[in-house]
Amino acid sequence: MDQIDRIRAFNRLWTRRIGVLGRSYLGSGLGLTEVRLLHDLDGAPPLRARDLAQSLGLDEAQVSRALAGFDRRGWLTRSPGPDRRARLLALTPA
């Protein structure tokens, strides 16, 4: 087992043990991906979904599903972007 394998094994052990990969991150009712998205949207200037996915290294479809959930909860606003092909995302006060 090389050094990278040992680091990955350590990370897997502790992420399972502290429960960050469960269905509800720290009892929030949100998954880790959703929490990461909220964190990056909070206080940031309006972003495109593609930029958000790329900056976090996430699949665009997964980001889209999470953002749809934020939309249903009233947590997200979408406004036209400068090129009108992509919409800019920002969090609501909710």
Side-chain angles (χ1 to χ4, degrees), residues 39-89:
H39 180 270
D40 275 29
L41 283 167
D42 185 36
L47 299 164
R48 295 182 318 154
R50 174 170 282 161
D51 296 334
L52 190 58
Q54 288 174 348
S55 73
L56 292 171
L58 297 171
D59 178 71
E60 289 183 29
Q62 184 180 16
V63 170
S64 178
R65 286 188 299 272
L67 294 175
F70 295 169
D71 231 357
R72 284 190 300 275
R73 292 177 177 108
W75 297 349
L76 193 66
T77 62
R78 298 174 190 257
S79 57
D83 64 3
R84 301 228 184 255
R85 288 180 291 171
R87 303 195 62 158
L88 298 176
L89 309 170

Side-chain angles (χ1 to χ4, degrees), residues 2-15:
D2 69 1
Q3 194 171 17
I4 291 173
D5 290 331
R6 287 194 306 269
I7 291 169
R8 287 182 177 149
F10 173 85
N11 287 341
R12 282 192 288 275
L13 169 77
W14 283 102
T15 54

